[in-house]
Every structure is written in structure tokens, then in C-alpha cells.
Amino acid sequence: MSTPARITHLVNGASWEGTAERTSPVYNPATGEHTGNLDLASADLVGEVVGIAKSAWQSSWQRSSLTQRAQVLFAFRELLNSRKKDIAAIITSEHGKVLSDAEGEVTRGLEVAEFACGIPHLLKGGFSENVSTKVDVYSIRQPLGVVGVISPFNFPAMVPLWFVPIAIACGNAVIIKPSEKDPSAVNAVAALWKEAGLPDGVLNVVHGDKEAVDALLEHPDVKAISFVGSTPIAQYVYDTGTRAGKRVQALGGAKNHMLVLPDADLDLAADAAVNAGFGSAGERCMAISALVAVEPIADELIAKITDRMGKLVTGDGTRGCDMGPLVTKAHRDKVAGYLDRGVEEGATLVVDGREGDVDADGGGFFLRPTLFDNVKPGMSVYDDEIFGPVLSVVRVRSYDEALALINANQYGNGTAIFTNDGGAARRFQNEVEVGMVGINVPIPVPMAYYSFGGWKASLFGDSHAHGMEGVHFYTRGKVVTSRWLDPSHGGINLGFPQNQ
Ligand code: NAD
């Protein structure tokens, strides 16, 4: 076994040279090997980095022209596109997802960079000439200053890319704190920003845990926070950040339901359930974890799903398998713990992911795809966000019962309906209380020019990620009313300004 590598912060365009008081181990989930030691930032270091970001913002990026910003964005887009496979390999080595999935994640992040390349157009304001005699009004949007991004382990490249390109394109300086479980992808992407010509200090990577997050939330010079993670931490970040006077968008956890009506194409639905339930080992915020089958189709659908699950290969993500390991041993054991609990609570364990072989060299954090039937609200396998390869079938008698079930859930991130009835699909998209809806599409992640976000406990704050909501989140609006003096100016008038 090789010695674990040091992984550290990127500050002011260079690797941090200090000595960390605390570190955190990083693993290769497919082998269990301890591959890295991550420096964890102290509150003092976060304070220092905020100062560096603020002065980089004030001295350069705040006043950068739209042309300059667009040029950096285009260069970054090209670099990211050309290094996609390298970034994907880094993701697989620390997260465990299979290489093709890791590359797909980078591609979805790349799309946000492409959207941000259009920043000169996206930041165009309005202009009204002669709103009153010789008076013009126009609107502009200006950057906030230093903004913080705090990201989860499950999309170590894509989630940071939901925010960083737009924040930078809007003229802000950024401090990103990645997940301590798989931190290296963000370091690799940050190096591309430097190569693309972004001035030093405009983007800084600070690694850490609660201490670093709290320091960002409390620092008065951090003007906005974009957070993605589990619901309890999202709620905490939202409450603490807004109390400290910041703009906060905090995206939380999920329990995504896939509703299958009796008229659906059951082969399409079975493919979709397997893809969306077990892709990335179920560690996606848009994974399907509850399959709601409107009777009488449940037995037939379960047979089709079970058949497909039998063909899935679980193993080391570098070997062309379908599904990789879970991110850490602790997470794998937590997810596996739900299998016994589900049985104790009365669910039927149809496929037990603890059984069967994996294509790996041993030592990895594996759990194969698992299927429960006869799951009901009140069981932990239904109520909790398991965040692993566990799919639960809930049998219902009608569309109305299914809708009530989905709407009663505390989460509202994504959902999908499978049907050939356009009227039923249309009714569902209107009535369901969920932020992102798929119609015969199991993982309805919006394109970069739309905005991503859930409802209820899946998002705190009122701004979703990327698209125009991202541009608005990272800018402040200003409206200017202007009159250039000419010889006919109107003299004194103490009345409230009115159009003339
Ligand atoms: P997490 O909440 O454990 O961690 C997220 C971030 O918060 C990390 O950077 C972590 O270092 C930090 N953090 C952890 N504990 C903290 C604490 N006590 N105080 C302050 N900061 C803390 O989430 P995770 O396990 O990394 O990611 C999985 C979760 O993220 C799932 O719940 C998933 O649904 C959610 N997620 C949601 C979306 C979405 O768009 N809604 C997208 C991706 C992931």
C-alpha cells in the first residue's frame, strides 16, 4: 500500500503551505485503501482566505469587463471539456461511482459553464427612454462580493459546477468548501480556472468540516452561501446564514417517488426504476427510492425489475461494472442496517444486496442492489432518506392514493410518473408538490438554462440552482433614474416625483 497523499487547500492560486492542526482520511471506496489525508481548515484560516478573496475581488474581478469574464469562461469550458476523463478518474477513485457515470457528472457540470459563457447576454438590464420628459430609467445587476459554496460528497464535480461558473461570471469571488469525503475533484477543477486566466484569489478552495462551514456562515464579508447536502445540515446552514444577514440557498435531502400507472409500458418503467434506483449506488439526490405501483401491476413490474437486477454487475468502477461501492465503510454499514430493519418492520426483502459477488479485489465498501416490496409509510425504509442502492415498492390502489402519499412526504426534490395517458400525466404535473417532475423520464434533472431545486424539506431559501435563478442569486439589482441637464431644467418642486 502506498503512503496516503496530502490533500490541501488552494488559496490565492497556489497550494497552501501551512501545517494543518487537523486532517481527515480519504479512501478509495472500491479497495478500502486509505489514499489521502485532507487538511481541515481552522476558523482562522477561513478568515484569512476570506480576506484574500475580498482583496482579489476589489482589486480585479469586481471591475472586470463582461468581455474579460466571458473569455475566462470560454477558456475554462474548453479546458474542462478536454480534461473530462482525468476529472472522472479522480471522482471514481474517491467517490466510487463507475467511470462512465463520473464522466456524465462532469458533462452536466460543463453545461453550466456553457450557460455561464453567455453572461454578457444574461446580465443585460432593461432601459426605458424618456419615462418622464428627458428622464431615462435603466436596471443593472451587480456582483455581491465574496460568496461561499459548500458541497456534498455525491457529486464532487457537478454540484460545485452548478454554482462556481455562474458566481464567477457574475463578477464575484468564490470560496468553495467541498465534501471532506472526496475533495480532490474540486482541486483539479480549480487548477483549470487558473489555467483559464482567472486572477489568483478570485476562486479559493478551503477544505474542512463544521468548523470551516461555521466560519464561512459567520464571516461578515461572505455575502451569500450556496449549500447542498442533507436536510438537517441544509436547515442549519439556512438558519445560521440568514441570521448572519446572508443570502442563502440550501438544497437538502430527498425521497424521490416514481409513480407507475396500470397503463404504463412496464418494460420502460422497469428499465427506468433500475437505472434511477441503482445508478451511482443510489447516492444521487434524484435517485428513485420509492416505486409507487398502482395495482394490479405490482407483481408483473417487480418480476421485470428483479430480472434486470440479476444482470447488474457491481464492482470496482474502473472495470466497466454497472454499479460501484458506497462512499465510506460507515455509510455502507448504515445502508446495510436498513435491510434488517425493513424486514423487522414488515417489508418483504425481495433481493438482498448483501448476497452475491462483486467484481473487485476485496476491501471495498460494497452493497449490491436491494429490492423491498410491501413497503408502507411509517417504516424506516420508507420514511428515511437511505441514500444507497435500496429500492422500495409501495403498492397503492389508485392514482389519488399515490398522489396523497407523495404529497404527504416531507421531501419534494424530484418525482416521475410513468403512463401512456397524457391527461393523467398532465394532472400529475399540476397536482404534485415536488420541484422537478419527470413524465416517462425517471431522473428529471433540468438543463443548465433551467433551474434545479426541490420543494419542502429539499430546499431552504427561494432560489434554485443555476439558470436565471443562479444569475439572480449571485447579483443585486439596481435601478437608475437619470436626467442629463440641459438648459431647460425644471427648477424647484418639493412634490413626490411623478412622470410628466
Ligand atoms: P452532508 O450534509 O453530510 O454534507 C454536506 C456538506 O456539509 C459537506 O461539505 C460537509 O462537510 C458539510 N457538513 C457536514 N456536517 C456538517 C455540520 N454539522 N455543520 C456544518 N457543515 C457540515 O451531505 P453529504 O452526505 O455529503 O451528501 C449527501 C446528501 O446531500 C443527501 O442528503 C442528498 O440528498 C443531498 N444532496 C442534495 C442535493 C439537492 O440538489 N437537493 C444534491 C446532492 C446531494
Side-chain angles (χ1 to χ4, degrees):
M1 258 193 196
S2 49
T3 316
R6 180 186 182 200
I7 308 168
T8 196
H9 322 291
L10 290 181
V11 178
N12 211 14
S15 285
W16 185 64
E17 289 183 347
T19 305
E21 285 163 18
R22 296 183 304 128
T23 61
S24 173
V26 175
Y27 297 94
N28 180 336
T31 61
E33 192 188 351
H34 174 190
T35 53
N37 284 321
L38 177 71
D39 289 348
L40 300 179
S42 64
D44 285 349
L45 179 61
V46 172
E48 251 178 69
V49 177
V50 173
I52 288 166
K54 188 178 178 188
S55 70
W57 182 66
Q58 287 175 328
S59 62
S60 69
W61 205 240
Q62 180 184 16
R63 272 179 287 281
S64 56
S65 68
L66 286 169
T67 304
Q68 184 188 357
R69 289 187 224 161
Q71 281 169 350
V72 169
L73 261 296
F74 272 95
F76 172 73
R77 187 265 167 212
E78 288 303 292
L79 287 165
L80 184 61
N81 192 39
S82 67
R83 311 279 167 81
K84 220 191 266 186
K85 286 194 187 307
D86 303 344
I87 309 282
I90 294 170
I91 294 170
T92 297
S93 71
E94 291 184 351
H95 176 285
K97 65 177 73 176
V98 301
L99 275 172
S100 55
D101 193 32
E103 202 173 320
E105 148 170 16
V106 182
T107 301
R108 294 308 303 263
L110 181 74
E111 289 165 6
V112 182
E114 288 168 350
F115 170 74
C117 285
I119 198 66
H121 176 73
L122 300 172
L123 278 183
K124 274 201 276 192
F127 188 97
S128 300
E129 186 187 41
N130 222 30
V131 295
S132 183
T133 307
K134 297 197 170 117
V135 175
D136 303 327
V137 173
Y138 50 97
S139 63
I140 54 182
R141 297 201 71 87
Q142 296 185 322
L144 304 177
V146 179
V147 301
V149 176
I150 299 158
S151 57
F153 82 83
N154 67 319
F155 283 108
M158 182 186 78
V159 166
L161 286 163
W162 280 353
F163 304 107
V164 175
I166 298 178
I168 286 177
C170 288
N172 299 285
V174 181
I175 298 173
I176 172 155
K177 195 218 79 66
S179 167
E180 58 273 50
K181 292 177 187 144
D182 46 13
S184 297
V186 165
N187 278 14
V189 175
L192 303 183
W193 280 106
K194 184 175 168 74
E195 207 177 326
L198 187 70
D200 289 344
V202 176
L203 174 65
N204 303 279
V205 185
V206 164
H207 295 287
D209 53 10
K210 180 169 169 40
E211 181 172 345
V213 172
D214 284 341
L216 285 170
L217 291 174
E218 299 293 349
H219 201 296
D221 286 335
V222 176
K223 300 300 180 193
I225 295 282
S226 299
F227 172 90
V228 181
S230 57
T231 286
I233 312 293
Q235 172 108 61
Y236 167 78
V237 165
Y238 183 76
D239 291 346
T240 313
T242 49
R243 244 194 329 266
K246 296 179 202 321
R247 192 177 279 199
V248 183
Q249 53 180 177
L251 286 72
K255 189 84 188 179
N256 304 309
H257 295 71
M258 173 172 152
L259 168 57
V260 185
L261 298 189
D263 73 310
D265 177 330
L266 294 190
D267 285 304
L268 176 73
D271 284 344
V274 169
N275 295 343
F278 306 121
S280 197
E283 292 172 325
R284 290 182 183 141
C285 59
M286 292 291 274
I288 293 295
S289 56
L291 181 64
V292 185
V294 178
E295 293 291 29
I297 53 156
D299 285 341
E300 191 184 347
L301 186 57
I302 288 170
K304 287 178 185 293
I305 290 172
T306 310
D307 179 50
R308 285 158 171 79
M309 287 173 71
K311 296 176 186 138
L312 293 179
V313 179
T314 302
D316 186 325
T318 60
R319 296 188 186 176
C321 305
D322 299 301
M323 194 184 95
L326 281 90
V327 68
T328 58
K329 180 172 186 315
H331 187 55
R332 186 261 171 221
D333 293 347
K334 183 177 166 209
V335 175
Y338 277 99
L339 276 51
D340 287 333
R341 277 168 71 192
V343 173
E344 284 160 20
E345 291 167 351
T348 311
L349 188 54
V350 181
V351 181
D352 185 339
R354 293 167 296 192
E355 294 168 359
D357 297 330
V358 294
D359 180 13
D361 292 333
F365 314 138
F366 290 100
L367 182 67
R368 287 167 47 86
T370 293
L371 185 67
F372 273 114
D373 187 13
N374 297 311
V375 171
K376 295 185 171 57
M379 296 178 179
S380 57
V381 282
Y382 179 79
D383 293 344
D384 297 356
E385 181 189 34
I386 299 176
F387 221 56
V390 180
L391 184 61
S392 296
V393 177
V394 184
R395 296 173 180 239
V396 295
R397 279 153 303 185
S398 65
Y399 165 87
D400 287 332
E401 195 185 332
L403 182 75
L405 176 90
I406 298 169
N407 284 350
N409 198 272
Q410 64 162 320
Y411 298 109
N413 211 41
T415 189
I417 184 170
F418 279 72
T419 179
N420 282 319
D421 179 342
R426 193 163 185 280
R427 200 177 143 195
F428 183 71
Q429 57 102 32
N430 178 261
E431 294 176 339
V432 75
E433 292 169 14
V434 171
M436 293 170 282
V437 181
I439 297 175
N440 296 315
V441 172
I443 308 184
V445 175
M447 294 300 290
Y449 37 90
Y450 285 86
S451 297
F452 181 107
W455 286 15
K456 301 191 279 188
S458 296
L459 187 139
F460 301 90
D462 56 9
S463 292
H464 293 197
H466 60 67
M468 283 315 288
E469 293 195 40
V471 174
H472 276 244
F473 184 78
Y474 290 122
T475 51
R476 287 193 287 186
K478 193 181 265 183
V479 180
V480 181
T481 304
S482 121
R483 173 170 58 198
W484 289 100
L485 289 186
D486 70 17
S488 65
H489 73 88
I492 289 176
N493 177 356
L494 299 195
F496 196 65
Q498 296 174 48
N499 296 343
Q500 289 164 7

